[in-house]
Amino acid sequence: MSQQYLDSDAKKSLLNNNNLSSLFMKDLRKSIRGCVIVTVLLSVLLIMPFNYYAQVKTGDLPPSFESTKIAGIAVDVIDIYPPNTEVLRSEDEQNVKNGTFLRAGVNIRVDAGLHNSGTWTNLPDGQKMWRLKIQSDGARALKLAFDDFYLSPGTQLYFYNANQKQVIGKFTADNNREDGSFYSELIQGEAVYIEYIEPSKSIDQSHFNIESIAYVYRETNLDAWYGEKTRDFGGSASCEVNINCTPVGDDWQDEKRGVARIFLLAGGGWGWCTGSLVNNTNYDETPYFLTAYHCGAADASAAELNQWQFDFNYESPDCNNPGSEPAHNTIVGATHVADGNIAGGSDFFLLELSSTPPAAANPYYNGWDNSGNVSANGVGIHHPAGDIKKISTYGSITASGSVNIGGSIMAANSAWQINWATNANGWGVTEGGSSGSPLFRDNGLIIGTLSGGSSSCTAQSSSDYYGRFSYHWNSNGGNNDAQLEPWLDPANSGTTTLAGYDPYATAPPTVGFYADKYNILEGDAVNFTDASISPSGPILSRAWTFNGGTPGTSTDENPTNIVYNTAGVYDVSLTATNANGSNSDVYQEMINVINSSVTSCDTLSQWCCTPTIYTSANGYVGGTNEYECLEVSEFFNNPYPYNSVTGARFYFAQVTSGSNPNITFKVYADDTGKPGTLLHQTNVGLNEIETAYITNGYYDLVLSESIAFPESGFYIGFTIPQSQAAGDTIALVTNDDGDSGANTGYNLYPTGWETYA
């Protein structure tokens, strides 16, 4: 709407004939430059309660704060009628988390600035002061968007709230942008004051215009920081776990640095999402940033993307929620690169930030895995409800079919289904604002981006769904703007996994590797995989040495077909080099080459697997028969090259022989995913087990015959004495939760076999 100057009758006529304007305009006040017409436009403001960073806090105070006489001068006021928040909240109940964001407020268009509003005051030192107050009843916070923004050299601009606890500024000519735009942070409360100071002599004339405000009607963290009320810090739910909690966050200190909170504008609405910087095969610091399609990809114009704000390092330094807002680093603006729709696709949005994060932001470009492989455990790192950074650990992950996210049907097999698990610090989930956040597998590589789900702090066992990175790669369409591959593998290397990248690190690689098998027969071949980490840049060269192997050396990244012809135990070493130097490591006795005639395993303790029960690990005590358990048993896969078993080692927490009953050790076939056909049993007196336990801490069972491994695997375990009154006790040591990576232990109750968990 073009600027007009109307008398009072004309203003009344306008308000009576413009229904939308009349809903939101309470009053128009006179200014020394004439009457201002404020047009309004209602639009959706997305996601969850707001929490925002301190844009500029120089310590300078507005001049009006320094003189009660000046502060007492009346200020021009633009009073905007609030929206009907009851209606909005009722609508919001239908838009929680799945596919659409929880609305937090509305955007209202305004046309007010130096040219048509405000109050001018001459200051004693010869400077001039211009002030304007914009208010709207019931607002939790307001945010200003400027166009035609230009500050002349020597001028100053401040923003503050009604109680003057939140002061932002000073802004100067250094804050001018070429496109003439400028955006304030969120200002707590129902009113925001704009104060502009102009020296007595200016080089040229400043000009700026407030084009719109964001009206926030949900509770914000700003209420706690700058309001009259007090409440706990943070907008997220109470079960969420801070990223720097020990021990759960200890192994994710690099990956967290790439994750940022997004304050987004799309289709006129504001809201929260999460995303991550991602590395590319050129290691060239291109600031690609990955989030979800439903985080504004369809609705955000180029001009709106230019206003997106990416907050890095927005987190608590420890496990406690801080009492005030933590310092963080912000990048403003991005451009659209590629996307995959949530409807019929995998829900991804790749952006390029407007500038490369500086060293002060401590950025990390997270690595990724496009192979479609997953691990039994990993984490999600996210900003639920726009709050400080949190971490959630998953306990199960499965490929999912066509997922329905709020009515949007994702493509078949384009999502991971996640169930969150407890950890040493709690049981985190996801919330609105977590959308687009990365899912990491156990090796720290991104395998998905959050689309939605039903988990919450009151439904922690419910599932969430992540668009699969492997589907994002090249399955959403044939064009570059529907794929990650052209952007994240510009070298067309065909790589399936890429390590993360720290552009400011100066360390050589940390060396690590693994083999596809460790126990082999003479003449067998082994394949090796380099798992070295080089966050300071790509690994430039590798030097492998295979003692006893043929060939004995290799410079390949992942050497294959290394043949071992002679029985023995052999070391493997690797030296990895990047631009900052080299590191080496030797895995001693890594490969066990067995004589071809020896194929019987004499003790389960020599195997590579980690059992749940009868383990030497620190853990729990089980098997004392408090729950009427009849037997315990452990599952083992068929461990090549062995084809039979002659014994097993059992670690006990307590063995006491009173009446000295026989303990029956049993071997079962795996028939239906639990102990099935009985293959063998051996009876041993409890006093014999007690003597071995007192001497060694464990008991080595020798079976009366060699048992051939069933192809599907087998179980080995023992009966538990049923008369504790007789003084007989046999109690196992079991792993801590999660140590074994699978529920391989089983108990037999009168009702049948159950997993040991």
Side-chain angles (χ1 to χ4, degrees):
M1 181 175 180
S2 61
Q3 180 63 43
Q4 303 176 50
Y5 296 92
L6 307 176
D7 60 22
S8 59
D9 290 336
K11 286 189 290 184
K12 177 185 283 188
S13 175
L14 174 67
L15 292 178
N16 287 339
N17 289 288
N18 186 331
N19 293 331
L20 184 59
S21 293
S22 64
L23 285 173
F24 298 97
M25 186 63 61
K26 285 176 65 178
D27 190 15
L28 293 174
R29 304 296 175 88
K30 289 282 187 178
S31 75
I32 62 172
R33 299 199 178 185
C35 225
V36 59
I37 302 302
V38 182
T39 63
V40 289
L41 176 63
L42 179 64
S43 58
V44 174
L45 183 61
L46 305 176
I47 313 179
M48 291 291 288
F50 282 99
N51 180 3
Y52 202 57
Y53 80 116
Q55 193 173 45
V56 175
K57 291 182 180 178
T58 63
D60 296 315
L61 294 176
S64 64
F65 285 25
E66 301 173 6
S67 169
T68 56
K69 182 177 180 180
I70 295 174
I73 298 174
V75 179
D76 188 24
V77 178
I78 293 178
D79 202 352
I80 298 176
Y81 201 89
N84 187 330
T85 56
E86 290 186 8
V87 172
L88 296 176
R89 290 178 184 275
S90 177
E91 295 172 352
D92 294 343
E93 293 181 5
Q94 308 301 317
N95 300 320
V96 178
K97 194 174 181 183
N98 287 335
T100 57
F101 299 112
L102 176 62
R103 188 165 48 187
V106 294
N107 210 38
I108 302 175
R109 191 166 298 282
V110 179
D111 181 14
L114 285 175
H115 64 295
N116 62 2
S117 60
T119 302
W120 285 94
T121 302
N122 292 321
L123 300 179
D125 61 2
Q127 296 188 103
K128 293 190 296 183
M129 177 177 66
W130 176 94
R131 288 182 294 170
L132 176 66
K133 177 183 179 182
I134 297 178
Q135 67 181 23
S136 188
D137 292 348
R140 295 288 190 175
L142 300 171
K143 173 182 169 63
L144 306 175
F146 291 79
D147 60 3
D148 191 31
F149 183 91
Y150 173 78
L151 295 180
S152 175
T155 61
Q156 305 169 29
L157 184 66
Y158 300 86
F159 310 120
Y160 49 91
N161 65 348
N163 62 22
Q164 298 185 349
K165 292 183 179 180
Q166 184 183 10
V167 180
I168 311 301
K170 58 186 177 182
F171 298 103
T172 67
D174 291 337
N175 299 102
N176 294 333
R177 295 173 52 148
E178 290 184 5
D179 64 0
S181 64
F182 185 80
Y183 310 96
S184 79
E185 68 169 84
L186 287 170
I187 308 296
Q188 184 272 335
E190 300 178 331
V192 55
Y193 288 80
I194 305 100
E195 184 166 322
Y196 165 77
I197 306 300
E198 186 174 277
S200 56
K201 294 183 179 180
S202 297
I203 297 176
D204 53 12
Q205 183 64 47
S206 296
H207 48 84
F208 54 77
N209 181 68
I210 303 164
E211 64 172 348
S212 64
I213 65 165
Y215 177 102
V216 182
Y217 60 86
R218 292 189 180 275
E219 188 176 44
T220 75
N221 295 333
L222 297 169
D223 294 335
W225 302 330
Y226 303 118
E228 302 295 348
K229 301 181 298 180
T230 59
R231 67 179 185 87
D232 291 340
F233 177 85
S236 61
S238 59
C239 72
E240 303 290 8
V241 178
N242 284 336
I243 184 62
N244 292 317
C245 281
T246 295
V248 67
D250 293 350
D251 292 334
W252 302 94
Q253 293 300 295
D254 284 334
E255 291 79 7
K256 71 166 189 177
R257 292 157 46 201
V259 179
R261 179 182 64 170
I262 312 171
F263 188 45
L264 63 89
L265 174 62
W270 292 89
W272 299 120
C273 267
T274 307
S276 176
L277 287 168
V278 283
N279 193 18
N280 72 80
T281 55
N282 284 348
Y283 284 82
D284 59 8
E285 283 187 81
T286 301
Y288 289 133
F289 192 90
L290 181 64
T291 185
Y293 177 89
H294 74 271
C295 289
D299 300 320
S301 66
E304 288 177 324
L305 284 170
N306 195 43
Q307 302 178 43
W308 285 31
Q309 301 185 28
F310 303 85
D311 298 332
F312 292 89
N313 307 307
Y314 187 60
E315 60 198 49
S316 170
D318 51 36
C319 213
N320 299 313
N321 289 329
S324 60
E325 183 184 24
H328 53 284
N329 310 89
T330 297
I331 299 292
V332 177
T335 55
H336 183 290
V337 177
D339 65 64
N341 202 319
I342 186 173
S346 60
D347 191 25
F348 86 87
F349 189 14
L350 184 67
L351 301 156
E352 183 174 346
L353 303 186
S354 62
S355 59
T356 301
N362 196 26
Y364 185 80
Y365 294 75
N366 273 307
W368 39 262
D369 183 340
N370 67 37
S371 68
N373 296 325
V374 295
S375 57
N377 52 76
V379 304
I381 300 177
H382 54 112
H383 288 277
D387 200 0
I388 55 178
K389 194 171 296 178
K390 307 289 183 176
I391 183 170
S392 303
T393 55
Y394 65 80
S396 69
I397 178 171
T398 57
S400 182
S402 299
V403 179
N404 187 333
I405 304 293
S408 295
I409 309 298
M410 298 178 69
N413 302 313
S414 68
W416 299 117
Q417 179 176 335
I418 292 295
N419 289 95
W420 304 111
T422 57
N423 55 58
N425 299 107
W427 191 351
V429 291
T430 64
E431 303 178 49
S434 303
S435 285
S437 59
L439 182 70
F440 295 95
R441 59 167 298 174
D442 56 356
N443 59 6
L445 302 182
I446 294 176
I447 56 172
T449 50
L450 179 62
S451 293
S454 55
S455 76
S456 69
C457 284
T458 57
Q460 289 163 296
S461 298
S462 295
S463 298
D464 284 334
Y465 298 91
Y466 284 75
R468 295 171 62 169
F469 193 96
S470 56
Y471 200 99
H472 299 341
W473 193 246
N474 56 19
S475 299
N476 282 278
N479 296 329
N480 287 354
D481 62 1
Q483 302 180 4
L484 291 181
E485 182 177 17
W487 315 99
L488 302 189
D489 188 16
N492 196 27
S493 65
T495 186
T496 58
T497 60
L498 185 70
Y501 174 44
D502 183 346
Y504 301 102
T506 58
T510 300
V511 174
F513 52 92
Y514 59 90
D516 63 343
K517 45 186 171 290
Y518 302 91
N519 297 305
I520 62 173
L521 296 177
E522 293 171 320
D524 283 349
V526 180
N527 301 320
F528 293 88
T529 300
D530 182 11
S532 301
I533 299 172
S534 180
S536 60
I539 294 176
L540 303 176
S541 65
R542 297 169 175 85
W544 296 82
T545 300
F546 308 106
N547 292 337
T550 303
T553 61
S554 176
T555 58
D556 293 344
E557 178 180 356
N558 301 312
T560 60
N561 201 35
I562 307 301
V563 178
Y564 290 83
N565 292 309
T566 305
V569 181
Y570 299 102
D571 300 344
V572 177
S573 65
L574 171 63
T575 299
T577 303
N578 65 15
N580 297 303
S582 301
N583 258 335
S584 301
D585 202 355
V586 179
Y587 287 11
Q588 296 181 347
E589 300 182 354
M590 183 179 191
I591 304 300
N592 178 29
V593 183
I594 302 166
N595 187 291
S596 300
S597 63
V598 179
T599 57
S600 183
C601 173
D602 62 354
T603 170
L604 297 182
S605 64
Q606 74 188 69
W607 292 0
C608 61
C609 43
T610 305
T612 298
I613 59 177
Y614 40 93
T615 172
S616 60
N618 294 325
Y620 304 107
V621 175
T624 57
N625 209 31
E626 291 183 37
Y627 302 103
E628 299 182 355
C629 177
L630 304 175
E631 296 183 30
V632 295
S633 196
E634 177 78 31
F635 175 71
F636 291 93
N637 284 313
N638 191 337
Y640 179 86
Y642 301 108
N643 58 24
S644 62
V645 61
T646 61
R649 175 169 292 178
F650 297 81
Y651 290 89
F652 292 108
Q654 181 181 356
V655 180
T656 303
S657 174
S659 61
N660 187 31
N662 279 335
I663 303 300
T664 302
F665 291 89
K666 297 181 178 181
V667 181
Y668 292 97
D670 177 40
D671 292 346
T672 57
K674 58 185 177 182
T677 303
L678 180 64
L679 301 177
H680 176 82
Q681 65 182 37
T682 297
N683 294 325
V684 179
L686 184 57
N687 60 347
E688 179 183 334
I689 299 172
E690 182 182 25
T691 299
Y693 163 72
I694 293 172
T695 303
N696 302 315
Y698 57 83
Y699 173 71
D700 278 336
L701 169 71
V702 178
L703 299 177
S704 59
E705 61 179 325
S706 177
I707 307 301
F709 293 152
E711 184 175 342
S712 60
F714 69 96
Y715 298 79
I716 187 166
F718 59 90
T719 59
I720 294 178
Q722 297 304 298
S723 177
Q724 288 184 307
D728 299 316
T729 300
I730 184 167
L732 292 163
V733 177
T734 73
N735 273 336
D736 289 329
D737 286 347
D739 281 354
S740 69
N743 288 323
T744 57
Y746 284 77
N747 287 340
L748 177 62
Y749 296 102
T751 55
W753 288 100
E754 296 181 12
T755 59
Y756 198 81

